[in-house]
Structure formats: structure tokens, C-alpha cells
Amino acid sequence: MGEALRVVGVLESLGAIAQYVKTAAAAAKLEPAQAYNLRLAVDEIATNIITHGYQDAGLSGEILVWDTCTPKSLIIHLEDYGQAYNPHQWQAEVTPELCQQPLEQRPLGGLGVYLAMRSVDQFRYGRVGDRNHTEFVIFRNPTP
Amino acid sequence: MNIEIQTIGDIQVIALAGDVDANTAPKVQQEILPLALPQSKILLNLTNVPYMSSAGLRMLLSLYRQTTAKQGQLVLVGLGQDIRRTMAVTGFLNFFTTCDSLELGLTVFKRENH
């Protein structure tokens, strides 16, 4: 486990969160596409935490980021004190069928969660007391 | 995020450099949406954009809608493999004209003129 990152829950913190994920992905020797997808998933959910969990709810707070790496997987953890949310409920907003519709008719929302869910091997969310805890799991390829 | 805008003939060439995420996308959108005037030809060069989140996709969607509504043309060039994959998964890719290089992208506009 690398040293945890603690950032203020504002959009300007997305760069630091991305850098943390990229460093963890490199240390875990993920494939480039896996590393990109992991960064995408974390970035999308961190964006939602900041804009919906904190800003829209009139709250402010921090996001804590840390990783756990085992021979089989790399897990990125996000913890925040924003409003409770369940990304699994948002998942239904965008479907593969909707993605085939002409762009003129597409709604603007929901894409981030759709991408996040599809970009990692496992996605876990839980509310623990007054905190949201989100985990992004990528399975590491066995070293030849 | 760096945004460079130049005009080549009657084509407006917008070159972005840097990650497009929820923090940077609003700035990009603010700069480039006003360029979508009636019959405008816009080439968006993404060669130096290594990362794009859904905030970037929404920016592309807005630009697409503006250019389409105003009978303009929009061409994307230099899409990296990762961004191309994101656009494919979300169904965006099929609706955009894309080219591998700036030179090819400029040719597409010429061809559509004939």
C-alpha cells in the first residue's frame, strides 16, 4: 500500500488524484489500457463525488485516496464525507441501447458512471457511518 | 490545458494539448463553442490529448450539436487509442468524422466542398 493522498473535494484536485492512480498502476505493472481505464473510472467517480456529493449538496470536505496491491489485483479506494450516493442506481441511466441513439437525442448525464462501471473488473460502494467508500478493482495479469 | 486556434484557408484548426477532464473541459468548451458559426469548418486536433473523460465527451457533443445545427462541418484528428475506445463504448465514434492526421483532416473538408 502506498502512502494515502488527502485532497480537498474540488475539481482542481482531479489532477492530483489522477497522478496518484497512475503511480499506483505503474507500480502494479498494469497494462497501459488497464491503467488508463482505472484512471478513467476513478476520475469519473471522483468528479461525481465533488460535483454531486459535495457541491450540489452545499457541502465541502476532503477525498481520501489509497491503494492496496496484492499479487492478483490493484484496488484504489476513495473515501469522502459527501452526501450518500449509490452509483449502482445511476448505472441504469445509460444503457448500451441508448449509446446507439443519434447524438442529437442523447441526454448529457450519466455517461461518467456508465464509463466507470465498464472500465474496472469490480466496482464496490458502501456507506460507512457518515462516509462513502468506493473501491475500484483491476485484476493484474500473471507475470510470465 | 493549452488551446491553440489558427485558420488554414477557411478552416479553423483548434489544437488542444493536455488532459480533458471535468476541471479542464469547461475552459475548452468556453473557448471553442463560439467558433461554431453558420457553415463553419472546424478541425479539432487531439493529437496531444492523452486523456479524455466523459466531461470531454460532453464538450464534443455540444460542439457536434452546434456545428450540425448551423450546417457546419466538424472533423476530429489524432484520436489516441484510449480515447477512441471510450468514444466507441459510448457510441460517439460513429457520429464523428475522424482522421489520423492533420493533413488528412484538412483534405476531408476539401473533398466535402466538391
Side-chain angles (χ1 to χ4, degrees):
Chain A
M1 175 178 157
E3 200 176 327
L5 172 74
R6 187 183 290 273
V7 293
V8 181
V10 294
L11 291 174
E12 287 76 10
S13 297
L14 289 176
I17 295 172
Q19 195 51 53
Y20 184 93
V21 175
K22 284 199 267 188
T23 303
K29 297 187 170 59
L30 296 190
E31 299 290 332
Q34 286 181 310
Y36 186 94
N37 287 346
L38 178 60
R39 185 249 173 121
L40 179 63
V42 174
D43 185 50
E44 296 291 358
I45 298 301
T47 298
N48 279 6
I49 289 169
I50 293 163
T51 55
H52 301 306
Y54 281 133
Q55 290 176 357
D56 291 353
L59 301 170
S60 59
E62 294 177 328
I63 300 177
L64 193 63
V65 190
W66 74 97
D67 71 288
T68 45
C69 193
T70 70
K72 287 189 175 169
S73 66
L74 171 66
I75 306 173
I76 298 288
H77 308 253
L78 292 186
E79 201 163 79
D80 68 272
Y81 291 84
Q83 203 171 45
Y85 69 98
N86 186 349
H88 295 288
Q89 286 174 353
W90 298 339
Q91 196 179 14
E93 287 181 24
V94 178
T95 60
E97 291 72 35
L98 187 78
C99 287
Q100 301 308 313
Q101 283 186 11
L103 289 186
E104 286 84 350
Q105 298 162 19
R106 295 277 297 270
L108 283 168
L111 273 178
V113 173
Y114 177 76
L115 279 174
M117 298 275 185
R118 293 177 70 102
S119 296
V120 288
D121 294 316
Q122 283 181 10
F123 182 95
R124 304 175 192 142
Y125 167 82
R127 180 81 176 172
V128 185
D130 55 354
R131 288 165 292 161
N132 298 302
H133 186 100
T134 316
E135 291 181 2
F136 308 80
V137 184
I138 293 276
F139 296 131
R140 300 171 69 192
N141 292 338
T143 313
Chain B
M1 168 55 59
N2 193 31
I3 307 167
E4 276 184 28
I5 302 166
Q6 59 167 320
T7 306
I8 300 178
D10 58 350
I11 301 166
Q12 301 192 79
V13 177
I14 306 161
L16 305 183
D19 290 346
V20 184
D21 61 15
N23 188 37
T24 58
K27 183 193 169 199
V28 177
Q29 183 155 331
Q30 199 178 2
E31 292 265 335
I32 68 178
L33 266 197
L35 301 176
L37 300 168
Q39 278 94 45
S40 56
K41 296 176 180 175
I42 295 177
L43 184 149
L44 191 60
N45 188 350
L46 300 170
T47 305
N48 293 315
V49 175
Y51 174 80
M52 185 180 281
S53 72
S54 64
L57 294 182
R58 281 192 292 278
M59 180 270 292
L60 288 182
L61 184 56
S62 298
L63 187 60
Y64 173 89
R65 285 177 172 168
Q66 284 282 327
T67 47
T68 306
K70 294 178 176 175
Q71 285 81 46
Q73 295 174 56
L74 172 64
V75 175
L76 308 181
V77 307
L79 286 176
Q81 217 176 1
D82 293 315
I83 294 175
R84 189 172 278 275
R85 196 172 59 240
T86 305
M87 289 182 69
V89 166
T90 49
F92 274 54
L93 196 57
N94 292 340
F95 294 97
F96 286 90
T97 304
T98 63
C99 286
D100 288 341
S101 69
L102 177 61
E103 291 72 22
L104 277 174
L106 293 169
T107 322
V108 170
F109 286 107
K110 282 177 192 153
R111 210 162 41 223
E112 289 187 2
N113 272 345
H114 288 281

